[in-house]
Amino acid sequence: MFEPDGIAPDKEKIAALLADESRQEELFQQADSVRRRYVGDAVHLRGLIEFSNICRNNCMYCGIRCGNKQVCRYRMAEEEVVATACRAADMGFKTIVLQSGEDIYYTSDRMCRIIEAIKKRDVAVTLSIGEREYKEYKAFRDAGADRYLMRIETTDKDLYHRLDPGMSWQHRYECLLMIRELGYELGSGIMVGLPGQSIESIAADLLFLKDLRIDMAGIGPFIPHPQTPLAKEKGGTLELSLRTMAVMRLLLPDINIPATTAMESLHPDGRIKALRAGANVVMPNVTEGEYRKLYELYPGKAGADETPLHSRSIIGEKIKSIGRTIGTGYGSRRRTDVAARS
Ligand code: 5AD
């Protein structure tokens, strides 16, 4: 079905693989074996802190869009973010992911203080706080941030502009280029099953992510949220999301690929299925208390009523039960291509 080390970046072939439900098991097995060969059996855990659900954007799909007046908004104090991160470090997490809505209360100075405090611990820090200016991205990097996640969501520009009113696809792309240029490990990704998104468009997304030379790809199904304009839409399936993720593994054999929470939300074993179809990273939620339920990007978010320790132990057991190990290092992307050797 494929060449031994992946597949050619050919849009038609990719679209055919994405569409082929009858051969998906074969695809998953191939992605699993490429994953094992390139990044090994270790599953890297990232502790995810959702530190603010305040957002200036109004994305049609997202539960915390600014137009959703039913959300109870919260914003964690600097010390609270740092304390949560330290507890996650105490639990053994080697990467802390700081995610929020696009909340400009967290100025460059505030974010830098948080990053510097967390970097006193032996952890990698990943930011996922959206579009900022170059000087801010630079300040965060200088403060010690190692990685940045920002999904492009879709490369269909018309679709993007319909779904993300007031935002610019080009601007988002330019932010991703700045982040890469500043030497962050770069994570991006897409949603699968957006209304009006075709298979060909998903194939183009995967090629875009390859060209962007990302280090991490987050791929998850779109799940309609009842308090958004897309409430009545169908949403993406777990199967197509898994096929998309598996093809991503074949296109970029040595990157980090998380088994996403959205996958787990569609099926109780969604993340395990993902780990057996190309994924090598899991991002357990370490947000504490009431905040967890309030960061509702989509309904039925897996783990919303668990505690951090509980989330960590459930996923740890599941990982071991499928014969995989838990990564003990930072789990940075290790390039195996020419760029790594030169
Ligand atoms: N369903 C699935 N994923 C969503 N995201 C936002 N809203 C939804 C939804 N309704 C994803 C976006 C965003 C990430 C943080 O969460 O891809 O980049």
Side-chain angles (χ1 to χ4, degrees), residues 61-62 99 151 153 191 221-223 262 297-298:
Y61 43 80
C62 184
Q99 188 175 89
R151 289 187 180 172
E153 315 296 1
M191 278 179 287
F222 155 61
I223 304 176
L297 307 180
Y298 45 84

Side-chain angles (χ1 to χ4, degrees), residues 78 146 160:
E78 275 174 49
D146 303 276
Y160 183 90

Side-chain angles (χ1 to χ4, degrees), residues 66 166 220 226 234 258 262 280 299:
C66 64
K234 259 176 71 76
N280 71 319

Side-chain angles (χ1 to χ4, degrees), residues 21-290:
E21 289 171 33
S22 67
R23 297 178 72 186
Q24 75 172 18
E25 287 312 319
E26 221 178 309
L27 169 65
F28 295 164
Q29 278 170 26
Q30 178 84 13
D32 195 44
S33 94
V34 168
R35 184 272 308 153
R36 181 173 310 117
R37 193 140 25 96
Y38 281 82
V39 297
D41 277 336
V43 175
H44 303 290
L45 300 181
R46 324 293 200 196
L48 174 67
I49 305 176
E50 297 157 336
F51 66 93
S52 163
N53 70 353
I54 296 177
C55 191
R56 62 179 169 182
N57 294 327
N58 208 21
C59 306
M60 306 292 265
Y61 43 80
C62 184
I64 64 166
R65 67 201 300 266
C66 64
N68 184 1
K69 303 300 177 205
Q70 299 178 64
V71 181
C72 171
R73 303 282 171 174
Y74 71 90
R75 177 182 271 159
M76 284 166 58
E78 275 174 49
E79 304 71 38
E80 218 178 347
V81 181
V82 174
T84 308
C86 288
R87 281 191 288 272
D90 290 339
M91 283 168 63
F93 286 100
K94 287 285 170 203
T95 296
I96 305 298
V97 182
L98 300 177
Q99 188 175 89
S100 67
E102 287 202 5
D103 182 357
I104 42 159
Y105 164 83
Y106 298 92
T107 56
S108 195
D109 286 349
R110 286 199 171 108
M111 280 313 301
C112 287
R113 282 199 296 269
I114 294 172
I115 295 162
E116 277 161 16
I118 298 175
K119 284 299 286 186
K120 295 206 176 100
R121 301 294 301 261
D122 179 26
V123 291
V125 169
T126 304
L127 301 179
S128 177
I129 60 172
E131 295 178 31
R132 294 273 179 145
E133 288 177 26
Y134 181 87
K135 62 174 190 289
E136 301 186 274
Y137 288 137
K138 176 153 188 348
F140 304 154
R141 181 92 184 109
D142 292 343
D146 303 276
R147 310 183 187 135
Y148 207 102
L149 306 180
M150 186 161 63
R151 289 187 180 172
I152 194 69
E153 315 296 1
T154 172
T155 55
D156 176 337
K157 297 179 188 62
D158 291 338
L159 179 60
Y160 183 90
H161 292 123
R162 279 202 301 280
L163 295 181
D164 301 75
M167 294 177 75
S168 150
W169 188 91
Q170 184 64 25
H171 185 258
R172 197 169 186 80
Y173 175 52
E174 282 161 16
C175 285
L176 290 167
L177 296 180
M178 290 184 232
I179 293 164
R180 191 181 70 189
E181 198 249 345
L182 283 163
Y184 286 92
E185 270 189 64
L186 174 62
S188 191
I190 57 159
M191 278 179 287
V192 170
L194 291 166
Q197 183 187 43
S198 64
I199 290 282
E200 288 69 31
S201 158
I202 299 173
D205 294 345
L206 292 177
L207 291 175
F208 167 86
L209 294 171
K210 181 176 169 73
D211 286 344
L212 186 58
R213 291 188 273 117
I214 54 167
D215 302 291
M216 185 279 219
I219 292 167
F222 155 61
I223 304 176
H225 189 293
Q227 295 162 2
T228 64
L230 303 184
K232 300 251 152 16
E233 297 293 337
K234 259 176 71 76
T237 64
L238 177 62
E239 279 67 29
L240 181 56
S241 307
L242 289 171
R243 291 201 295 279
T244 306
M245 190 198 74
V247 173
M248 182 88 277
R249 171 61 72 200
L250 300 183
L251 277 171
L252 288 169
D254 61 3
I255 64 167
N256 284 321
I257 301 185
T260 54
T261 311
M263 290 179 174
E264 186 88 348
S265 304
L266 289 188
H267 187 285
D269 263 334
R271 284 182 303 187
I272 292 298
K273 287 174 189 281
L275 288 173
R276 305 181 104 161
N280 71 319
V281 168
V282 175
M283 299 166 66
N285 192 340
V286 297
T287 314
E288 293 173 6
E290 288 308 299

